[in-house]
């Protein structure tokens, strides 16, 4: 914990959730509304900016914009919680790089001074999964569960930018992480092991090479199906789109029959906490979650 | 006044070119320091040595100063003459006026002559202060302990027995044999893994080049005591007399066992045999393998029902089974210890993406060896573990966990050959099976090992250069190995029925704990570190403890046997005299002033000094190398190194500074690479200012900061420390210790307003004379 | 007949090492191919091979690499960095390489479009009218993001606006030697 910041977190929703997947925001707000952690809306954040293209264009710019966002939270006296792996990597990595690299630090400080800001390095950056796992803990989380997802086999997909590069992010063991698996189990579901668990969703290559992206998604869906997963749980809206939307397109375009409903983790937790599919806006998910809901109801 | 005699040698007259000998002799005669001064030209030849002996005897001097060549050149001969004259060899001090004076300053006749006087003065001052060195005889037990009963331990034990010593082998498993037991066939001979060298035993067929382990008469050799199912739990004492506590786990079967198997026949408990990857079964009472040594059954206490059942007790025709047997501790007294604990495969589950443990057809090379062994669980047929179908293609993955900063940074040395051996076995026996080896580099280093690589290519083994990233299962049960073939730049998905991981080899479980018990040092790879990585390959940092075979590094059988023989010789060399005769040029503790702070214990590289139970620090003389690291580190000045005491060092410095030249520089060189480099400068005729005068200490770390400060206050303008280079200190961490002290002292000097350049360090290899010469020139010019 | 050879030099690797705090890890590469084996892009598209990129960095193929459009294929999953047995920060080094490519005007179209939105809105996914009404319907609060003018000012100052406005192979950098001769 960073001294000086009051309790609660500044919600860093990023660009994708609010603009493209507002139904995920519903689940976030509803679930966190019931938990013992306060997340607050803070005005003035820009794009994190995204960690795939921006650092490739100019690392300094990438870190500077990130540092500006950290400044905004710093001014509000709050630590940051992100809801997207991309935002997490950007903000956390920027923080770490600014701690290590004096040359970069002075370049960034100079740029920020031009817009009247100063970065002091007093903000902690956490992924919401870390808040759930570390601040609340799976045991306490279980006490919020009213309708355990008993018998549901969940394939946990961590995504890249929460785990890697591990030497900078320091979230979990990159080869044997437990974070999401433990959160999945906290809902009463079973986290099933499957091959290629750490395969990327392919978002970063999709703009230039759609075919490769599609194959990556299919590979992942293949091994989840092989492991007899009922659904998958993700921690990142970008991954969510890849599997949710692309799965539907793949089934149509390539005549495939993948049937892995995709849940953003707070959707899954919301269900377990007793919220209804309607409350959680699950109808906005593109892969139909009905089979899973049926299994849940049947299992009662 | 101590009576000192001085011999000055002009080396066949040659040194007179560079030194004014007439002046030197008349100065010495007038100095009043010497009972006599003898000038000679051939002190080191037979007649010269005889003359020295006669003169010392006749004049009855107590100390001898010899001003001549470097003590490293003729010191031993001179010392013998001094001994022959009835004095201790330590009564002689050499002033090195050849390598470190005449030869080093050829164009400074006047200055060199002044320096020679200073060197002689210093030698005389030291001679006045020198003490007698007692010699201690330490009796040494004629029994050796060998920890680990694999190929290395067996070899070391046999050698020692042949050399006439008694040996106790302690083996953790119920049988001797170690890792070799599982290997079936081994390189470089493609034969059984269980041969050892013979001890001549006519009843078993006399001497020959080698014998099966069960015919080698190890357990019946009266000189060898075998303790299986046993572990070393405590060691006390020191070289010559170690008391080793061995915990013996109950075997429940006594050595009355006649190995008939009646017990196993009636035993109702069947369990998976871990020796065979769990593919075969054994009983709860079992013989670990058919040629087990000792050939005695053993009960597996985790699965035996004991008194509930006890069928074996009734079945045993010789009443060898005792279900009440308890664990016991026995103490063995030995003179030396050989650690031969070997190695094992790295945990394959750590390589998550290879799926070991999840994919049954992913095995390690040792497991593959079991499958290929005709006495193994499949009778030597290469079939899949998952479904018993024959293997059509096997992929081997090299460097699994080796050369990897996340796992084991080192090359495991033997895995290339294990893979090639298995590839050949498969291709020779089942030519239709496709063998693919995915590798980074193939390193078959050993006598004719390259032949394996060549034959593997000849028989059609496919080599793919690339390290596979992951293994995944296909729907049809086949495995797919994903790898880039770097030579074509293509991504390959190699379909296989079985994958063998050529696992990195790591020290056996428990090595770390054993090292702690023994006090021996481990290297960064976790293997036992040798006393010197180049020239002392079988000794450890603790006197009397040796290392044999793969406990020291991953090693194959031929190398293990050679290494074990070396360890045995090292141990025998110590034990053969029955006692260790040791001149006590060791650390001496002043018990009254000792602060019991344990700094000495930390400083000693040889575990030779310790503070135990609140008593003053105690030196184990048998282990002490006399380096003086403890003396240099002691914060209360309570440790002195015999014959390198603070007083003696101060007297020597005073003598060196007595010539009053400006700037007056004293070089303090360690008697290892440092002093040799200074000598070497003279031998090469690399000239440096005669202001620089060298004295020796065992290791520069012995020098106290106070001595340096005192010198700087008493007429010395600069001190140049000449030590070995970091990492090659002859006493492990002396260079680092003096380096830290010098850094601190320099900071102090600066604060006191004294030029910190007055204290300098140069670290040299003995051949780096030029480095010393440059440092000498530099300090003189900087302090001019 | 035209002779084709590449002249190996170490200037480029030194330059890269200077440009990133962990750039020196490049030197540890022993070309084992664990990175390319795990790379999800290389698996399906041979035009992108992280091992070869590192090899190119080590042997000084600067010109070739900074003008290669395929360096933008990397999906930035960082698996290469994670699995590297020698601790080479492959993905970080790739970012440095891409920065040099950007300076040389080698930027893919989709990123140019992204930059355009960023410069206008301070975001890479800006709210559309549909989004605004959809959020309102769901009862979600109005978004209060950064003032685009501030972001624009910051990007101007950083030279980012000028940098990303470059077209094609506008900049010809000093070659690290070699290439096709």
């Amino acid at each position: 914990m960073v001294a000086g910041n009051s309790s609660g977190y500044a919600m860093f929703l990023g660009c994708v959730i609010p603009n493209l997947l507002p139904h995920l925001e519903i689940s976030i707000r509803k679930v966190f509304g019931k938990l013992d952690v306060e997340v607050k809306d803070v005005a003035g954040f820009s794009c994190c900016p995204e960690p795939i293209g921006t650092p490739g264009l100019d690392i300094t710019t990438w870190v500077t914009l990130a540092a500006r966002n950290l400044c905004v939270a710093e001014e509000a006296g709050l630590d940051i919680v992100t809801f997207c792996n991309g935002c997490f990597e950007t903000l956390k990595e920027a923080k770490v790089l600014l701690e290590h690299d004096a040359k970069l630090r002075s370049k960034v400080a100079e740029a920020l001074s031009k817009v009247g800001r100063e970065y002091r390095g007093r903000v902690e950056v956490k992924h919401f999964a870390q808040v759930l796992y570390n601040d609340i803990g799976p045991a306490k989380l279980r006490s919020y569960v009213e309708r355990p997802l008993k018998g549901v086999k969940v394939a946990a997909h961590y995504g890249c930018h929460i785990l890697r590069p591990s030497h900078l992010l320091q979230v979990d063991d990159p080869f044997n992480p437990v974070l999401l698996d433990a959160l999945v189990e906290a809902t009463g579901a079973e986290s099933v092991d499957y091959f290629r668990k750490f395969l990327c969703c392919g978002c970063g290559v999709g703009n230039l090479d759609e075919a490769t992206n599609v194959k990556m998604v299919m590979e992942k869906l293949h091994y989840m199906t092989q492991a007899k997963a009922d659904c998958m749980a993700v921690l990142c809206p970008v991954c969510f789109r890849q599997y949710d939307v692309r799965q539907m397109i793949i089934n149509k375009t390539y005549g495939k029959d993948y049937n892995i409903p995709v849940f953003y983790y707070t959707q899954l937790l919301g269900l377990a906490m007793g919220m209804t599919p309607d409350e959680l806006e699950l109808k906005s998910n593109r892969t139909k979650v009905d089979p899973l809901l049926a299994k849940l109801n049947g299992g009662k | 006044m101590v009576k000192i005699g001085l011999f000055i040698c002009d080396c066949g007259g040659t040194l007179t070119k560079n030194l004014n000998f007439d002046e030197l002799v008349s100065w010495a005669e007038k100095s009043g320091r010497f009972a006599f001064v003898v000038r000679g030209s051939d002190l080191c030849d037979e007649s010269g040595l005889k003359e020295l002996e006669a003169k010392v005897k006749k004049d009855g001097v107590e100390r001898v100063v010899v001003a001549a060549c470097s003590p490293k050149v003729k010191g031993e001969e001179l010392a013998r003459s001094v001994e022959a004259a009835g004095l201790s060899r330590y009564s002689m001090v050499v002033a090195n006026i050849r390598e470190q004076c005449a030869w080093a300053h050829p164009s400074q006749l006047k200055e060199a002559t002044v320096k020679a006087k200073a060197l002689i003065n210093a030698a005389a001052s030291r001679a006045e202060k020198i003490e007698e060195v007692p010699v201690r005889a330490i009796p040494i037990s004629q029994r050796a302990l060998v920890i680990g009963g694999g190929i290395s331990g067996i070899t070391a034990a046999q050698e020692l027995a042949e050399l006439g010593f008694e040996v106790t082998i302690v083996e953790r498993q119920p049988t001797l044999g170690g890792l070799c037991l599982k290997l079936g066939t081994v390189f470089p001979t493609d034969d059984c893994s269980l041969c050892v060298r013979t001890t001549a035993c006519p009843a078993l067929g006399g001497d020959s080049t080698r014998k099966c382990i069960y015919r080698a008469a190890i357990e019946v050799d009266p000189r060898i005591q075998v303790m299986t199912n046993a572990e070393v739990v405590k060691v006390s004492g020191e070289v010559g007399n170690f008391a080793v506590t061995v915990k013996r786990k109950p075997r429940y079967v006594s050595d009355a066992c006649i190995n008939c198997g009646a017990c196993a026949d009636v035993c109702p408990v069947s369990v998976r045999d871990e020796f065979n990857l769990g593919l075969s079964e054994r009983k709860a009472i079992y013989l670990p393998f058919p040629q087990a040594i000792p050939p005695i059954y053993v009960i597996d206490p985790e699965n035996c029902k004991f008194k509930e059942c006890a069928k074996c007790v009734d079945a045993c025709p010789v009443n060898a089974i005792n279900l009440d047997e308890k664990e016991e501790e026995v103490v063995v007294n030995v003179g030396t210890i050989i650690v031969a604990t070997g190695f094992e495969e790295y945990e394959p589950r750590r390589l998550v993406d290879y799926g070991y443990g999840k994919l049954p057809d992913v095995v390690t090379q040792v497991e593959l060896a079991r499958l290929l062994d005709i006495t193994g669980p499949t009778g030597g047929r290469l079939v899949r573990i998952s479904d018993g179908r024959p293997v059509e293609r096997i992929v081997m993955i090299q460097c699994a966990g080796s050369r990897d900063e996340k796992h084991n940074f080192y090359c495991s040395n033997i895995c290339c050959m294990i893979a090639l051996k298995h590839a050949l076995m498969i291709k020779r026996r089942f030519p239709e099976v496709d063998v693919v080896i995915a590798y980074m580099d193939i390193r078959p280093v050993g006598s004719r090992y390259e032949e394996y690589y060549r034959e593997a290519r000849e028989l059609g083994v496919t080599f793919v250069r690339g390290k596979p990233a992951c293994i995944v299962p296909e729907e049809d049960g086949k495995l797919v190995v994903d790898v880039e073939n770097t030579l074509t730049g293509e991504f390959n998905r190699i379909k296989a029925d079985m994958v063998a991981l050529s696992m990195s080899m790591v020290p056996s479980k428990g090595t770390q704990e054993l090292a702690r018990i023994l006090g021996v040092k481990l290297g960064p790879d976790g293997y036992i570190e040798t006393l010197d990585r180049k020239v002392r390959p079988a000794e450890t940092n603790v006197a009397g403890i040796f290392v044999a075979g793969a406990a020291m590094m991953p090693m194959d059988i031929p190398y293990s046997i050679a290494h074990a023989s070396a360890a045995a010789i090292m141990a025998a060399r110590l034990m053969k005299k029955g006692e260790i005769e040791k001149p006590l040029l060791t650390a001496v503790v002043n018990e009254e002033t000792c602060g019991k702070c344990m700094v000495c214990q930390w400083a000693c590289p040889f575990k030779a000094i310790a503070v135990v139970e609140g008593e003053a620090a105690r030196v184990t003389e048998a282990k002490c190398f006399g380096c003086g690291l403890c003396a240099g580190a002691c914060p209360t000045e309570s440790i002195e190194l015999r014959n390198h005491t603070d007083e003696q060092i101060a007297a020597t410095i005073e003598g060196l500074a007595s010539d009053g030249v400006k700037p007056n520089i004293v070089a303090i060189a360690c008697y290892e690479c440092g002093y040799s480099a200074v000598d070497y400068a003279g031998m090469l005729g690399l000239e440096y200012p005669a202001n620089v005068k060298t004295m020796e200490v065992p290791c520069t770390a012995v020098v106290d900061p106070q001595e340096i400060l005192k010198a700087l206050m008493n007429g010395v303008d600069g001190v140049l420390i000449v030590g070995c280079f970091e990492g090659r200190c002859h006493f492990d961490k002396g260079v680092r210790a003096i380096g830290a002290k010098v850094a601190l002292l320099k900071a102090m000097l600066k604060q006191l307003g004294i030029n910190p350049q007055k204290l300098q360090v140069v670290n040299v290899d003995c051949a780096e004379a030029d480095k010393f010469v440059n440092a000498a020139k530099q300090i003189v010019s900087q302090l001019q | 007949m035209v002779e084709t050879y590449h002249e190996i030099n170490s200037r480029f690797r030194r330059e890269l090492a200077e440009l990133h705090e962990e750039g020196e890890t490049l030197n540890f590469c022993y070309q084992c191919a664990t990175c390319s084996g795990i790379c999800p892009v290389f698996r399906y598209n041979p035009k992108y091979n992280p091992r070869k990129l590192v090899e190119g960095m080590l042997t000084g193929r600067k010109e070739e690499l900074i003008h290669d459009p395929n360096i933008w294929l990397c999906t930035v999953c960082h698996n290469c960095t994670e699995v590297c047995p020698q601790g080479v920060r492959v993905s970080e080094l790739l970012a440095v390489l891409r920065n040099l490519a950007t300076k040389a005007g080698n930027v893919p179209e989709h990123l140019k479009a992204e930059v355009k939105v960023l410069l206008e809105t301070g975001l890479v996914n800006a709210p559309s009218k549909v989004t605004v009404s959809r959020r309102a319907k769901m009862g979600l609060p109005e978004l209060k993001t950064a003032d685009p003018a501030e972001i624009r000012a910051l990007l101007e100052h950083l030279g980012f606006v000028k940098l990303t406005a470059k077209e094609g192979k506008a900049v010809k950098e000093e070659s690290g030697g070699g290439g096709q001769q």
Side-chain angles (χ1 to χ4, degrees), chain A residues 6 43 58 74 83 115 141 159 181 184 188 194 218 220 233 261 264 290:
Chain A
S6 58
D58 184 36
E74 214 163 63
F83 293 87
V115 292
L141 213 51
D181 295 272
V184 163
Y194 62 100
M218 293 199 332
K220 190 104 190 186
Y264 187 72
D290 306 353

Side-chain angles (χ1 to χ4, degrees), chain B residues 353 402-406 409 439-441 465-470 472 482-493, chain C residues 30-39 42-44 46 49-52 79-89:
Chain B
D353 284 340
S402 293
R403 304 172 68 196
D404 188 330
E405 297 290 313
K406 292 187 172 72
F409 67 86
Y439 72 101
M440 291 198 268
D441 300 289
R465 196 202 168 275
K467 180 138 188 212
C470 63
V472 287
D482 288 346
V483 59
E484 185 206 357
N485 182 338
T486 60
L487 301 180
T488 63
E490 287 167 340
F491 186 75
N492 286 182
R493 307 206 73 203
Chain C
Y30 57 19
Q31 292 284 300
C32 67
T34 315
C35 55
S36 47
I38 202 77
C39 177
F42 177 60
R43 160 182 301 250
Y44 298 115
N49 182 336
R51 177 190 60 79
K52 276 198 173 171
N79 264 311
C80 48
T81 293
E82 212 59 68
V83 299
C84 177
Q86 291 298 311
V88 181
R89 308 299 188 202

Side-chain angles (χ1 to χ4, degrees), chain B residues 322-367:
Chain B
N322 172 13
L323 297 178
D324 292 322
E325 194 181 330
K326 294 279 176 293
E327 184 176 291
E328 57 169 357
E329 286 193 351
V330 291
V331 175
V332 190
N333 293 301
V334 296
T336 55
I337 298 174
I338 294 180
V339 183
T341 43
F343 58 179
E344 63 189 30
E345 289 182 307
Y346 184 58
E347 171 54 58
R349 285 175 184 80
R350 300 277 304 271
L351 308 174
V352 179
D353 284 340
Y354 289 162
Y356 181 95
K358 285 197 270 184
L359 301 166
D361 297 313
V362 175
V363 299
T364 68
Q365 287 287 6
V366 171
E367 290 169 345

